[in-house]
Structures are given as C-alpha cells and as structure tokens.
Amino acid sequence: MQADAYRFDGSRPCDLSRLPTDAGSEKGKKEEYAAKTAANLRRMEALQDALYADGREGLIILLQALDAAGKDGTIKHVMGGLNPQGVTVYNFKQPTKTELQHDYLWRVGQCLPPRGGIAIFNRSYYEDVLVVQLHQLHKTYRMADRVLTDSDEAFFEKRYRQIRHFEEYLYENSFRVLKIFLHLSKEEQKKRFLDRIDTPEKNWKFTPDDLRERARFDEYNRLYSRVISATATEHAPWFALPADQKWYTRYLASEVVVEALQKCAPSYPALDEKTRAEMQRARIRLMAEDESR
Ligand code: AMP
Ligand code: MG
C-alpha cells in the first residue's frame, strides 16, 4: 500500500528531516484521493463490524503530532467512518495531580479497549517521552532519588524499553497498537495557526502556549525521530504520514487503519453444527408465526 513508504517497523531508523511533509507528485489529485478515502471508509465499517462480532482482538490507534497537524481532523474524518458502538476516543491532556501520583501507564490502563473494540488515543503515553523529555518535567515529579539520579538519556531509554514491552504485552494478549505520527512542515503550521487566530470559530483551538512549543519545532522533530526509531516494532509499527495536505493525510490514515483491521483478521464467528441446527429450528418457528396469524 501507498502508506508503506512511511512505515517504521524497527527495520530502519526514522529521520523525519528526510521524510516528506507534503503529497509530492500526488499534489493536485485531491478529488481522486477523496473518492479513494470514501471507499476505504466503507471497507473500515465492514471490517469493524466483523471485528466486533468476532471479539478476539482489540485495536488501539494512537495519534501523535505537533499542534495543528490534524489529529482532531483525522479522528473526525477518518475514524468518523467507524460505528460509535465499539469505538471510544480518549484525549490525553496534562496529567492531573492524581495521575501524577501514579506511574505514567496507569491512566492508559483505564482507556484500553475490550477485545472486539477499538480505542483511539488523541495523544498518548508517548507524551511521557516527548513533552516530558523536552521540558524536563520528570525532574519535577516526586520520585525516589534512585530513579532521578539516572542521566536523562538513561531515564528515557528505560521508558522506551517500558513502552516497547507494554505494546508487546498488549500484542501477546490479543491487542494491536497502530501508531500514527502526522508530519507537518513548519510553514504549514504557521498558516494553520494564523487561520486559527483569524477565524472566530477556530479561536478556541489556539493558545499562546502553542508558540512556545513552535519555537522548539526542530527539536521536537529530532526527538520524534528518536522516539519513533526506539519504539517501532513489527507488531506495533509507526506511520509517519505527511500532513501538509489534509486530503492526502486522511487517505493514508484510512489505508493504515484498513490494514490494521484486516490484520486483526476479523471474520464473522463460524457457527458449530449444534448452534447452526438451533438457528434453523428458530427460523422454522419464526416462519410458523406468519402462518398461524
Ligand atoms: P491539546 O492536545 O492541544 O488539547 O493539549 C494537550 C496538552 O497536554 C499538550 O500540550 C500535551 O503536550 C499535554 N500533555 C499530554 N500528556 C502529557 C503528559 N503526560 N505530560 C505533560 N503534558 C502532557
Ligand atoms: Mg494544543
């Protein structure tokens, strides 16, 4: 599939500075891609139905990106194709005081889907190696000296390992994790911020803090490259999708979601002989109702 060009599964390191943020040679094919996305949404719906009925695997789709890269839009326009029964969206904001008293995966445990279900994470536990690392927030947490006397590098290397193990644990318990990074250019972020400032309906999406993070745009991308490289595995791959054209991002996102659902191998549960015979008897009884009316 087209999104394979952006797949990271541990077989190669990720260097975002060498990856496109735009649609490249596909630019100008907006209509064509919109139609292809619509077709994928229909496939997603059918696959999700089967996943729900099958109930053997659960799927976690997580989205990470810098501000204005299109996380909310992707959830609305791509995941919006899913049946709300069987999907829950979780937004990971700054941890509360109670959350900070626990390990960083504690709040995640409460958001995991049942088998047959899908959880969408708008940001995730990856914030705990991204914003936390960049702003050195871990140094403000109350934790034992033995934890904090580690060098920063060692501290976060341990977290990468914990995250790999956590995702492997989920995989070994019949869940899959699909990780999407929306790769936006600094110029496009500026345009979208200006639009958020100039359009009253979009004002709520902008906070002056966003500029503080933007000032560290390149640092963030370098850190994302490291985090993606350290946590990409075959069973829990990352996709670093170009995000400058929303219609292109949405198409690629729909592709990777379809693929993940297919991998969950959803097939409608097959009936055993006894149940099939019972169903047939039920059928006969239902048909008999008409006749006796
Ligand atoms: P938004 O997604 O724009 O609503 O903002 C949510 C904010 O919460 C972002 O600035 C995230 O970086 C921040 N956030 C999410 N998780 C964490 C975390 N574990 N530690 C610190 N900040 C976080
Ligand atoms: Mg924000």
Side-chain angles (χ1 to χ4, degrees), residues 67 92-95 107 123-124 127-128 131-132 137 141:
D67 291 302
F92 288 86
K93 304 273 183 190
Q94 279 176 10
R107 65 174 178 168
R123 301 187 189 269
S124 65
E127 294 292 326
D128 293 284
V131 68
V132 173
L137 299 177
Y141 299 165

Side-chain angles (χ1 to χ4, degrees), residues 33-250:
Y33 275 98
K36 285 163 82 172
T37 303
N40 273 345
L41 295 197
R42 287 192 293 276
R43 291 168 72 196
M44 258 163 64
E45 201 185 338
L47 285 164
Q48 185 206 359
D49 261 358
L51 175 79
Y52 189 78
D54 188 42
R56 282 189 298 178
E57 284 219 66
L59 178 63
I60 295 133
I61 303 169
L62 68 83
L63 289 152
Q64 284 290 152
L66 297 187
D67 291 302
K71 294 188 300 292
D72 294 298
T74 305
I75 291 172
K76 183 169 165 183
H77 295 278
V78 180
M79 318 303 171
L82 297 167
N83 177 353
Q85 177 155 295
V87 187
T88 313
V89 181
Y90 297 94
N91 289 293
F92 288 86
K93 304 273 183 190
Q94 279 176 10
T96 62
K97 222 170 136 206
T98 307
E99 285 168 350
L100 281 180
Q101 288 174 317
H102 292 80
D103 64 282
Y104 65 97
L105 292 176
W106 180 75
R107 65 174 178 168
V108 181
Q110 301 163 41
C111 305
L112 296 175
R115 298 191 189 94
I118 301 173
I120 295 165
F121 290 179
N122 186 347
R123 301 187 189 269
S124 65
Y125 46 91
Y126 278 96
E127 294 292 326
D128 293 284
V129 289
L130 289 158
V131 68
V132 173
Q133 182 161 194
L134 218 94
H135 289 282
Q136 299 281 291
L137 299 177
H138 59 300
K139 295 195 167 142
T140 67
Y141 299 165
R142 283 187 68 76
M143 291 196 285
D145 287 345
R146 67 182 165 76
V147 177
L148 293 170
T149 47
D150 264 353
S151 70
D152 278 344
E153 207 182 320
F155 181 86
F156 288 102
E157 284 295 331
K158 282 179 186 165
R159 285 199 166 183
Y160 301 153
R161 187 198 65 209
Q162 290 155 9
I163 289 175
R164 283 196 304 271
H165 286 180
F166 175 60
E167 291 173 351
E168 189 174 291
Y169 164 84
L170 289 172
Y171 183 69
E172 289 173 352
N173 281 279
S174 216
F175 296 89
R176 285 173 190 271
V177 186
L178 167 63
K179 305 176 293 198
I180 299 175
F181 170 70
L182 303 179
H183 188 205
L184 184 74
S185 67
K186 203 170 175 188
E187 299 71 50
E188 182 61 25
Q189 188 191 48
K190 179 176 172 178
K191 276 192 211 153
R192 293 186 189 176
F193 277 170
L194 287 172
D195 184 45
R196 288 177 176 192
I197 292 168
D198 295 340
T199 314
E201 295 76 27
K202 292 187 184 170
N203 285 170
W204 65 274
K205 288 190 176 187
F206 186 79
T207 62
D209 277 358
D210 291 346
L211 289 191
R212 192 193 58 197
E213 298 300 288
R214 176 176 167 79
R216 307 186 73 170
F217 195 97
D218 297 333
E219 260 180 279
Y220 260 113
N221 272 350
R222 279 197 296 277
L223 184 53
Y224 261 109
S225 301
R226 244 197 356 263
V227 167
I228 291 172
S229 301
T231 56
T233 60
E234 202 182 335
H235 56 76
W238 272 105
F239 287 86
L241 304 179
D244 286 354
Q245 286 84 23
K246 290 174 181 173
W247 50 268
Y248 191 56
T249 314
R250 287 172 193 168

